[in-house]
Amino acid sequence: FYARSVPEFGEGKGYARVMSAGFYWVLFWLVMVYPAVSVAVAAPWNCLALGKQGTFLRADFRERCPDDGFGLDFARSWALPFLFVYPIGIPLGMIGLLCLLSIPTMAARKKTHARLQEMLQVYYRSIN
C-alpha cells in the first residue's frame, strides 16, 4: 500500500517548484561569485615589472611573479585547473544546462505563441 501511495520521483506539484527554486539559487550564487573568483583565479598571471627589483604579482606585491624563476610555481599550478573550472567551466556549464533543458527551443515557442496571441487580439479588435 505504501509503495503505491508514494508518487514517483519527479511527480507532484511541489517537485517543479522545488527544482525551480533550487536552480534559481544555484545560478544566483554562481553569478554573484563568478566575477570575484575569476579575478582571483587569473591573479597568478597578472604581474608587474618593477625594473631591477623584478616582477611581482599585482594582487600581492610581497610575492614575486612565477616568471622570475624564484621557487616553484605553486600559485599557477593550483590556478590552472581552476581556470578551467570557474572562468571557462561555469559559462560552458550554463550553456550546457540551457541546451539540456531545451531552453532555446522553449523560448522560440513562447515567442511564436506570443506573436500569434497578439495577432489574434489585433484581428479581434479590428472586427469589433
Side-chain angles (χ1 to χ4, degrees):
F1 173 75
Y2 177 74
R4 285 185 278 159
S5 65
V6 175
E8 292 289 324
F9 180 74
E11 291 183 9
K13 294 179 181 179
Y15 177 78
R17 286 195 343 236
V18 169
M19 289 300 291
S20 178
F23 276 118
Y24 172 81
W25 286 111
V26 166
L27 292 176
F28 178 78
W29 181 79
L30 286 175
V31 167
M32 296 304 289
V33 170
Y34 181 74
V37 171
S38 296
V39 168
V41 167
W45 285 277
N46 192 6
C47 298
L48 179 66
L50 296 176
K52 294 179 184 176
Q53 290 83 14
T55 57
F56 293 87
L57 292 175
R58 287 184 190 257
D60 185 1
F61 281 113
R62 295 175 294 179
E63 296 292 325
R64 289 193 175 269
C65 196
D67 295 339
D68 250 1
F70 289 97
L72 295 174
D73 190 6
F74 180 76
R76 286 189 183 175
S77 65
W78 276 99
L80 187 61
F82 286 102
L83 181 69
F84 292 103
V85 172
Y86 281 99
I88 297 170
I90 287 177
L92 287 178
M94 288 184 180
I95 290 170
L97 268 177
L98 288 174
C99 293
L100 179 70
L101 299 174
S102 303
I103 301 298
T105 306
M106 188 186 318
R109 286 182 185 162
K110 283 185 176 184
K111 280 184 182 178
T112 303
H113 182 73
R115 288 179 187 140
L116 180 61
Q117 291 296 325
E118 185 63 30
M119 286 182 356
L120 288 174
Q121 287 178 2
V122 169
Y123 172 73
Y124 288 142
R125 278 184 276 182
S126 70
I127 62 172
N128 288 334

